[in-house]
Amino acid sequence: MQIQPLPDDDLDPRDRGGQAQPLLIVEGLRKFFRVKTQDGKPAAVKAVDDISFTVFKGETLGVVGESGCGKSTLARLLMHLIEPDYGTLIFDGEAVDSPDGITVDTLRQQLQMVFQDSYSSLNPRMPVRDSVAFGPLVHGKTREQARAVAKDMLTKVGLNPDLFGPRYPHELSGGQKQRVNIARALAISPRMVILDEAVSALDKSVEAQVLNLLRQLKRSFSLTYLFISHDLNVVQYISDRVLVMYLGRVVELGPVEDIFSRPKHPYTQALLGSRSSMDPARRLEEPPITGDPPSPIDPPSGCRFRTRCPYAEAVCAAEMPELSTWRDRESHVTACHMQNSASGHSLADVMGRA
Ligand code: SF4
């Protein structure tokens, strides 16, 4: 499937570069957390290590990987909730937190986040309509205008504002609280929303309703999503493209159909092989992934997946495989020596042509 850019009529008035300009470009993003090992020596958790990718206007980019792979750290780096060690963010053509670009505050007016834990994201002592109105109030609306925005947003997420607005978070179900969080994120009219495991805590039937709501809101508000989840079925359902992370690095990136029907990286193949499917025709032949990932404090040399990869060879320990290109919508790229005919891996010619 070719991913369709937004029609001109749907472009946000704040749009600067038109459809062809990505909404977000991430280049060389890195975050190491300083820690002490058990014997008291200083060490670094390599949570996100030299990550680059692009998010196009109007798309949903799914981000998958095992827990601890750096997905949530990545989300917080994009929001500048934590400071990156290195790397550049370019939002609609403007560098973030740079003298010639936009400030972090301006970024946060256009980029919002919805977390997994719907309860702790809301102030327990505040009626939910006030939680939704808080953002618009902080961004210069009068109290009356902010209340009107909150009322509208609660309606848009399927909650009757007269019924649910005066309630406190503990009076709502998990699905209702997550709807409030989505209303709160949308209340300041962002252009992009990061959804970090946003439906993971919900029952399956409620999850489906919230996913459909997200798709509908995306169309209504011409939004762009970064959708982080460990649930591959959910990612397949909602995403246009998928980015696969392993131990702080991007190992594969491409259109959702390509990733799910023709995964190239052995890690993606194993990840997909391990997912539950009721349809035998959709089960892949690769064995489920086994064992735990190595410690991000002391990751393997070269390819980080080599300690679990059935195809690992000497070149995999000696050299880190890189993603070849990552800037266009249709590319299906992977960081594996088998996909590079010049790498010296004995299967490179066979797999690289596949
Ligand atoms: Fe396996 Fe080597 Fe490819 Fe890494 S680079 S996934 S170890 S074959």
Side-chain angles (χ1 to χ4, degrees):
M1 181 194 75
Q2 182 130 5
I3 300 158
Q4 296 300 323
L6 285 173
D8 278 334
D9 291 352
D10 287 352
L11 282 180
D12 191 284
R14 292 166 291 181
D15 188 278
R16 290 173 53 85
Q19 299 175 9
Q21 178 161 282
L23 189 55
L24 181 67
I25 299 174
V26 178
E27 278 185 336
L29 201 61
R30 186 182 120 171
K31 182 68 189 179
F32 290 180
F33 293 105
R34 311 283 149 206
V35 292
K36 286 215 162 118
T37 56
Q38 279 179 339
D39 51 8
K41 290 192 180 137
V45 174
K46 294 169 180 164
V48 166
D49 192 1
D50 196 12
I51 280 187
S52 300
F53 62 94
T54 298
V55 186
F56 295 99
K57 288 169 185 167
E59 77 167 341
T60 297
L61 178 65
V63 178
V64 295
E66 291 165 292
S67 72
C69 71
K71 305 187 293 286
S72 291
T73 303
L74 173 64
R76 282 156 183 75
L77 287 170
L78 298 184
M79 283 293 293
H80 268 256
L81 296 175
I82 48 179
E83 282 289 311
D85 299 333
Y86 293 109
T88 312
L89 299 184
I90 300 169
F91 194 86
D92 205 5
E94 295 188 291
V96 177
D97 202 17
S98 125
D100 303 329
I102 56 171
T103 63
V104 170
D105 279 350
T106 305
L107 172 77
R108 289 192 189 142
Q109 285 168 31
Q110 305 197 51
L111 177 60
Q112 283 287 295
M113 189 159 168
V114 177
F115 297 90
Q116 174 178 7
D117 188 346
S118 58
Y119 188 72
S120 64
S121 302
L122 294 169
N123 185 335
R125 287 180 291 280
M126 206 182 251
V128 296
R129 68 175 169 219
D130 292 354
S131 284
V132 178
F134 185 74
L137 203 56
V138 168
H139 286 98
K141 301 268 191 220
T142 64
R143 192 163 292 278
E144 208 170 307
Q145 288 168 333
R147 278 264 168 110
V149 172
K151 195 170 179 178
D152 185 36
M153 285 303 143
L154 286 171
T155 307
K156 293 257 169 39
V157 299
L159 296 174
N160 180 334
D162 297 325
L163 192 62
F164 289 96
R167 293 192 189 175
Y168 289 83
H170 73 271
E171 298 175 293
L172 302 181
S173 70
Q176 288 163 349
K177 281 197 285 272
Q178 206 55 314
R179 284 173 189 261
V180 173
N181 277 316
I182 294 166
R184 200 177 57 150
L186 298 185
I188 62 163
S189 306
R191 299 172 65 192
M192 178 170 167
V193 182
I194 298 174
L195 299 140
D196 185 10
E197 301 283 2
V199 298
S200 302
L202 305 177
D203 293 342
K204 279 290 160 201
S205 62
V206 179
E207 176 188 272
Q209 290 167 15
V210 174
L211 284 173
N212 286 332
L213 171 69
L214 288 169
R215 290 183 96 160
Q216 182 194 319
L217 292 169
K218 182 168 170 253
R219 276 196 301 275
S220 308
F221 293 100
S222 300
L223 293 166
T224 299
Y225 288 157
L226 187 84
F227 190 92
I228 297 171
S229 178
H230 67 278
D231 186 330
L232 295 163
N233 294 323
V234 167
V235 166
Q236 185 177 21
Y237 174 73
I238 200 156
S239 305
D240 299 304
R241 292 191 307 139
V242 177
L243 179 154
V244 185
M245 282 185 74
Y246 184 78
L247 222 56
R249 308 259 314 169
V250 178
V251 297
E252 189 157 5
L253 174 63
V256 65
E257 294 86 356
D258 290 357
I259 296 278
F260 278 82
S261 62
R262 291 182 297 284
K264 292 179 175 177
H265 197 283
Y267 174 62
T268 315
Q269 291 166 356
L271 205 59
L272 292 176
S274 65
R275 76 171 171 162
S276 55
S277 173
M278 301 305 287
D279 176 2
R282 284 175 54 207
R283 287 192 192 133
L284 298 180
E285 300 200 339
E286 289 73 17
I289 193 164
T290 54
D292 293 327
S295 164
I297 292 180
D298 187 19
S301 64
C303 173
R304 291 196 175 168
F305 189 57
R306 71 178 169 82
T307 52
R308 299 164 92 189
C309 178
Y311 309 106
E313 296 184 358
V315 64
C316 306
E319 285 175 39
M320 173 96 77
E322 302 287 344
L323 281 185
S324 46
T325 91
W326 45 270
R327 281 180 186 271
D328 60 273
R329 286 175 192 259
E330 280 82 35
S331 287
H332 178 186
V333 291
T334 185
C336 172
H337 289 309
M338 290 193 293
Q339 300 293 329
N340 174 5
S341 56
S343 69
H345 194 288
S346 67
L347 293 172
D349 281 343
V350 184
M351 305 295 270
R353 283 198 299 266

